[in-house]
Amino acid sequence: MILAGIEDEDKWLAEGIAGIQHNAFYMHRALDANNLRDALKCSALMLSELRTSKLSPHKYYDLYMRAFDELRKLEMFFKDESRHGVSIVDLYELVQHAGNILPRLYLLCTVGSVYIKSKEAPAKDALKDLVEMCRGVQNPIRGLFLRSYLAQVSRDKLPNLGSEYEGGEDTAMDAVEFVLQNFTEMNKLWVRMQHQGPVRIREKLEKERNELRDLVGKNLHVLSQIEGVNLEIYRDTVLPRVLEQIVNCKDELAQYYLMDCIIQVFPDEYHLQTLETLLGACPQLQPTVDIKTVLSRLMERLSNYAASSPDVLPEFLQVEAFAKLSSAIGKVIEAQVDMPIVGAVTLYVSLLTFTLHVHPERLDYVDQVLGACVKLLFGKPKLEEGRATKQIVALLSAPLEKYNDIVTALTLSNYPRVMDSLDDETNKTMAMVIIQSIMKNNTCISTADKIEVLFELLKGLIKGLDGTAADELDEEDFNEEQSSVARLIHMLYNDDSEEMLKIICTVRKHIMAGGPTRLPFTVPPLIFSALRLVRKLQAQDGNVVGEEEPATPKKIFQLLNETIEALSSVPSPELALRLYLQCAQAANDYDLEPVAYEFFTQAFILYEEEVVDSKAQVTAMHLIIGALQRMNVLGVENRDTLTHKATGYSAKLLKRPDQCRAVYACSHLFWVDEKDGIKDGERVLLCLKRALRIANAAQQMANAVSGTSGPVTLLVEILNKYLYFFEKGNPQVTSAAIQGLVELITNEMQSDSTTPDPASEAFFASTIRYIQFQKQKGGVVGEKFGPIKV
């Protein structure tokens, strides 16, 4: 059916074009013969083709343009009075006798154009006559194209200021009156189109109407181009008349399009000075009109106008633009009770954007917009609809992008209240936007009060899972979010020690509610921030003293101990153990032996009770040994206790190679190559001998299981430890012991039961070359290494 209708319409269009061409041919013959009567007769027959009602607006336009081209040629003939032998006045009267009204009016408009150009009568009188007579055609499509033709031929003949057709004092008003009258009649015809067919084709009619909207809108463009239309005429005549027509037509399509036309075609300064009138019409529009887009475009134009020159900013304050826009938006939302949330929020986004462009210094205006949004969302469930939440994110992001400073946003009391209206997922998205803004602008947030407000905004990222199962979270996204929080914590700093301690306590209060999945990300940066404060206090060289002083190292270490203890119960024992060792090192630097010893104690307890994986135990033991080696604050008794624990646990690791390496690492606990460092050569040798026994046992076990003793890597590693302590001057490590170990390794490598291993052989060969190099040095070193035969 649709295809058949299109084919019929194409056929009717072809027939109409053929009729125009046929009659135009005879019209041209009559024109060439200067036969006015036949020319008018043929032109009337040609224009009769425009009387059809069978074509859609798109097809009718094609037909109209064919007739329009011919009418331009006819107009040229009418201008040459010597050819047709009739005065223009008589010609104006003559064409009014055409049989059908539509051809008659087209001819009348054509002759009227020539009549005005002849200046034999005032332009305003001819235009008034023409615009009145065009009322004779009330068919919407035919009437619209007829009036469009009238507007086209009269556009350069309006009695405008400075025009050759200028009249008296009110000449600009005469031009305005003509265009307004034509606009009013065209709008009525356009609106009437929706009632020209049955309800079932309403959608088709609306589409056709949409195709014709520019015919109506061009009148407003003409109005904006009239030279004499100043602000006074626009304010007192043009805008009220146009708005009256828009409001009274009660048509959704017409109201939306024409409001948009007003905003687009008239100057920005006119909009600013007539803001109250323009905005006053908005609540009177139909509830279905997309008023949010209209107002958004208005505010965008005003924002651009404000940005064009600083000189215009006082005008915005003078007319109270913000107050009027804010009030109008509130009235529109109140009037359009069915407006979706996303539409209302979009209006506030546009208002906020306008405010940030025009009044960036007025934070009270910004907060007022956010407050209006809070009022809008009050009592409603949290937003989950995608477009609405996207607009809220845009609303909250706007101040961040404008000020490039989250500190400014933190002063807005309604900012967190708007965030509370978001669902959990969007809340997290907005929290990430805030963190990214801080990172991008390297913002320093240096007071505990501001951090309290900030972390309230970020609670979507740092609070517990709120019943969401851990396996429902996207691991990659979650890790990225928590890593961002961790980076943020590193950026929180204040040079004042007391305030920094308050910051640490504030952050701790918030992150401790993060639950077991978040603490491993957020606790470490907090610990290192606190350790940074400890080292700063140490650098002050005793300026901050006394138990009454809040920011004391003891108080900070107590806080650290409680924080890590919470982490160890998550459980995340390996991480907690590392942090205990870091704190022990800081306590050592501050000469707080009891504190350092307590942190080591906690680390050993974690090792004993929580670290169960064999690989994790090996890593943990080497960390403990490394940290313990650097301790110089420990007394003899405490150090002995801890080293005894370390060597004991080293020998109890699951795998023999791991035991061996941990035990020979313990040898460094008894020989610290520093001034006043411990140097117990005997216990060093005991560790090395014990490691050697474990290595031999490992080879024997390998031989019993697989028939081969495995590589000699462990023996070569022990040899290197012997060489290290031999060079450091440990009297218990002799050249004879090294000689014996070299021979042992050589024999083992030559044994048939030993598994060939290129890496071990290369390692041993490198060690032998080192010994030879030392022997060749000569002097004390050469003499020392001389007895070793390799």
Side-chain angles (χ1 to χ4, degrees):
M1 291 293 291
I2 296 176
L3 185 59
I6 294 174
E7 291 176 350
D8 289 344
E9 198 172 9
D10 289 339
K11 184 182 73 172
W12 294 327
L13 175 61
E15 291 174 354
I17 292 175
I20 289 176
Q21 291 174 337
H22 175 77
N23 289 295
F25 173 78
Y26 288 103
M27 180 186 76
H28 288 302
R29 287 183 61 177
L31 293 178
D32 292 339
N34 290 332
N35 188 335
L36 178 61
R37 185 174 298 278
D38 287 348
L40 290 177
K41 180 180 178 182
C42 292
S43 61
L45 291 172
M46 175 188 73
L47 293 169
S48 294
E49 298 294 340
L50 295 176
R51 296 171 59 204
T52 180
S53 300
K54 298 178 179 180
L55 300 179
S56 65
H58 181 71
K59 300 292 185 182
Y60 191 90
Y61 174 78
D62 292 339
L63 191 67
Y64 165 80
M65 289 306 298
R66 296 297 183 108
F68 179 82
D69 291 339
E70 300 300 333
L71 285 172
R72 302 305 291 175
K73 298 171 185 176
L74 186 63
E75 182 181 358
M76 297 300 296
F77 176 77
F78 289 156
K79 286 180 181 177
D80 189 356
E81 187 175 323
S82 61
R83 290 186 63 191
H84 53 71
V86 180
S87 71
I88 196 66
V89 178
D90 293 337
L91 186 60
Y92 189 69
E93 294 293 332
L94 181 62
V95 295
Q96 296 187 42
H97 297 289
N100 292 310
I101 188 169
L102 187 64
R104 182 195 316 156
L105 290 175
Y106 270 106
L107 291 172
L108 194 60
C109 291
T110 306
V111 176
S113 170
V114 179
Y115 189 23
I116 295 172
K117 200 168 184 65
S118 71
K119 301 179 184 176
E120 294 186 22
K124 70 170 185 177
D125 293 340
L127 290 174
K128 183 178 180 182
D129 192 33
L130 290 172
V131 78
E132 288 289 343
M133 283 193 285
C134 282
R135 287 184 176 178
V137 178
Q138 290 297 310
N139 177 274
I141 294 179
R142 295 197 290 268
L144 278 171
F145 279 96
L146 172 63
R147 287 188 174 275
S148 176
Y149 179 71
L150 172 61
Q152 184 72 22
V153 298
S154 63
R155 186 169 183 175
D156 59 344
K157 302 174 183 67
L158 295 176
N160 196 4
L161 286 177
S163 165
E164 59 181 301
Y165 309 107
E166 182 178 354
E169 294 182 359
D170 296 330
T171 184
M173 284 301 299
D174 294 334
V176 167
E177 187 62 36
F178 166 74
V179 179
L180 279 175
Q181 191 171 349
N182 199 43
F183 160 73
T184 301
E185 295 300 326
M186 288 184 76
N187 188 51
K188 290 177 181 178
L189 292 168
W190 185 43
V191 172
R192 195 184 306 153
M193 273 187 68
Q194 63 184 309
H195 307 297
Q196 293 301 298
V199 177
R200 67 176 181 274
I201 61 169
R202 178 64 57 86
E203 186 176 344
K204 178 174 178 291
L205 289 173
E206 285 298 292
K207 183 180 178 181
E208 292 179 350
R209 287 184 63 218
N210 202 39
E211 293 173 353
L212 295 174
R213 62 182 186 174
D214 286 346
L215 297 180
V216 184
K218 282 178 182 177
N219 289 281
L220 298 182
H221 180 68
V222 172
L223 276 173
S224 70
Q225 300 300 309
I226 295 176
E227 190 67 31
V229 177
N230 54 25
L231 175 60
E232 182 181 357
I233 292 177
Y234 176 77
R235 181 187 61 227
D236 298 339
T237 304
V238 175
L239 184 61
R241 291 271 296 275
V242 173
L243 288 178
E244 180 184 14
Q245 181 59 34
I246 293 173
V247 172
N248 291 340
C249 76
K250 300 187 182 301
D251 176 67
E252 175 190 350
L253 178 61
Q255 289 182 337
Y256 170 75
Y257 173 69
L258 295 175
M259 286 294 288
D260 191 50
C261 278
I262 292 175
I263 293 168
Q264 299 302 329
V265 302
F266 289 105
D268 297 325
E269 56 268 31
Y270 286 13
H271 294 322
L272 186 60
Q273 297 299 326
T274 59
L275 201 53
E276 190 169 1
T277 304
L278 183 59
L279 294 175
C282 293
Q284 303 177 55
L285 303 181
Q286 295 298 102
T288 51
V289 173
D290 184 14
I291 193 63
K292 70 177 186 300
T293 303
V294 173
L295 289 175
S296 296
R297 288 175 179 170
L298 172 62
M299 288 184 276
E300 182 181 0
R301 284 208 62 172
L302 291 176
S303 297
N304 294 336
Y305 178 52
S308 65
S309 170
D311 298 335
V312 303
L313 293 178
E315 297 179 28
F316 283 84
L317 294 172
Q318 182 181 1
V319 302
E320 298 179 337
F322 171 79
K324 290 175 180 177
L325 286 167
S326 180
S327 174
I329 289 173
K331 290 177 180 177
V332 166
I333 293 173
E334 186 178 340
Q336 297 193 3
V337 291
D338 295 328
M339 178 183 287
I341 289 292
V342 63
V345 175
T346 301
L347 283 173
Y348 285 120
V349 172
S350 299
L351 178 60
L352 184 60
T353 304
F354 166 83
T355 306
L356 292 172
H357 276 88
V358 180
H359 307 293
E361 75 288 350
R362 294 296 300 267
L363 290 179
D364 55 326
Y365 284 178
V366 177
D367 206 32
Q368 188 176 330
V369 176
L370 296 175
C373 201
V374 170
K375 184 179 178 182
L376 171 72
L377 301 172
F378 180 75
K380 295 181 174 63
K382 289 193 174 185
L383 294 179
E384 294 183 359
E385 198 268 318
R387 291 185 303 157
T389 55
K390 188 176 180 180
Q391 287 299 318
I392 290 289
V393 170
L395 182 80
L396 294 169
S397 301
L400 302 180
E401 295 169 359
K402 177 63 180 180
Y403 299 118
N404 292 325
D405 183 11
I406 185 61
V407 176
T408 303
L410 296 179
T411 62
L412 303 171
S413 61
N414 288 305
Y415 199 92
R417 296 172 66 191
V418 177
M419 279 196 70
D420 287 341
S421 66
L422 296 169
D423 65 290
D424 292 343
E425 197 59 37
T426 312
N427 196 295
K428 288 197 294 184
T429 300
M430 189 62 227
M432 283 294 289
V433 170
I434 292 173
I435 293 178
Q436 288 163 4
S437 172
I438 295 172
M439 300 293 177
K440 177 182 175 183
N441 300 298
N442 200 24
T443 307
C444 179
I445 307 171
S446 55
T447 66
D449 292 340
K450 290 178 180 176
I451 290 169
E452 177 72 37
V453 179
L454 173 63
F455 273 66
E456 277 297 317
L457 297 178
L458 304 179
K459 62 186 176 184
L461 293 178
I462 61 178
K463 67 180 180 179
L465 296 177
D466 289 340
T468 304
D471 55 4
E472 293 180 16
L473 297 172
D474 184 283
E475 184 177 356
E476 186 176 344
D477 290 346
F478 180 78
N479 291 347
E480 182 183 354
E481 291 167 0
Q482 297 310 304
S483 297
S484 297
V485 175
R487 289 194 292 272
L488 172 65
I489 294 173
H490 279 300
M491 295 184 67
L492 307 177
Y493 183 73
N494 193 308
D495 286 329
D496 181 72
S497 301
E498 290 186 38
E499 189 63 31
M500 187 62 202
L501 181 59
K502 290 180 182 178
I503 290 173
I504 291 170
C505 292
T506 301
V507 173
R508 180 180 182 274
K509 178 185 71 174
H510 284 278
I511 69 170
M512 294 311 283
T517 54
R518 289 176 171 82
L519 288 181
F521 291 91
T522 53
V523 166
L526 177 64
I527 297 298
F528 283 103
S529 292
L531 292 178
R532 180 169 58 176
L533 176 58
V534 169
R535 291 188 173 92
K536 179 185 175 185
L537 293 174
Q538 181 185 10
Q540 290 176 351
D541 196 23
N543 288 340
V544 182
V545 295
E547 291 297 327
E548 292 75 25
E549 175 59 54
T552 61
K554 286 186 178 180
K555 184 177 181 66
I556 297 170
F557 280 125
Q558 180 182 358
L559 191 69
L560 290 172
N561 189 40
E562 294 171 358
T563 306
I564 301 174
E565 187 178 350
L567 180 62
S568 64
S569 63
V570 168
S572 187
E574 293 90 349
L575 179 58
L577 185 143
R578 290 172 182 267
L579 294 176
Y580 275 133
L581 296 178
Q582 288 286 343
C583 293
Q585 182 64 54
N588 175 79
D589 296 341
Y590 216 94
D591 293 331
L592 293 174
E593 180 183 2
V595 176
Y597 183 81
E598 177 61 25
F599 281 124
F600 265 105
T601 302
Q602 295 299 325
F604 274 117
I605 291 173
L606 274 179
Y607 179 84
E608 293 172 356
E609 298 179 356
E610 302 293 342
V611 182
V612 293
D613 180 74
S614 59
K615 290 184 179 179
Q617 286 180 339
V618 173
T619 304
M621 188 47 58
H622 282 282
L623 288 171
I624 290 173
I625 293 169
L628 189 53
Q629 181 191 357
R630 295 191 293 272
M631 291 292 110
N632 53 34
V633 73
L634 296 174
V636 175
E637 183 178 349
N638 286 339
R639 187 177 183 87
D640 283 347
T641 302
L642 296 176
T643 54
H644 178 73
K645 280 282 187 184
T647 53
Y649 284 127
S650 296
K652 293 178 182 179
L653 292 171
L654 179 62
K655 298 178 181 179
R656 290 299 175 95
D658 293 335
Q659 291 178 17
C660 177
R661 291 185 174 99
V663 168
Y664 72 58
C666 286
S667 62
H668 291 279
L669 298 178
F670 305 106
W671 193 278
V672 180
D673 193 27
E674 294 177 3
K675 184 181 179 182
D676 300 327
I678 184 172
K679 290 182 173 60
D680 189 341
E682 192 172 326
R683 296 182 73 177
V684 168
L685 185 60
L686 285 174
C687 286
L688 294 178
K689 286 182 176 180
R690 190 173 186 180
L692 193 56
R693 287 197 302 272
I694 296 172
N696 288 327
Q699 285 193 306
Q700 292 172 8
M701 183 177 293
N703 192 27
V705 173
S706 61
T708 60
S709 57
V712 294
T713 307
L714 289 175
L715 296 176
V716 181
E717 291 175 6
I718 295 171
L719 171 60
N720 277 268
K721 290 297 176 185
Y722 267 87
L723 289 171
Y724 172 81
F725 288 111
F726 180 67
E727 283 192 68
K728 293 298 181 183
N730 186 339
Q732 301 299 322
V733 179
T734 63
S735 58
I738 295 174
Q739 179 71 54
L741 191 51
V742 169
E743 293 175 356
L744 173 63
I745 296 171
T746 304
N747 292 334
E748 286 290 335
M749 291 178 66
Q750 294 172 354
S751 172
D752 294 336
S753 62
T754 302
T755 305
D757 180 29
S760 299
E761 293 170 2
F763 188 12
F764 180 61
S766 179
T767 305
I768 295 301
R769 285 196 300 272
Y770 176 76
I771 295 174
Q772 292 171 341
F773 175 74
Q774 295 297 93
K775 287 169 64 103
Q776 293 169 4
K777 275 186 175 180
V780 177
V781 175
E783 184 180 343
K784 189 173 185 178
F785 278 82
I788 304 174
K789 298 177 181 179
V790 294

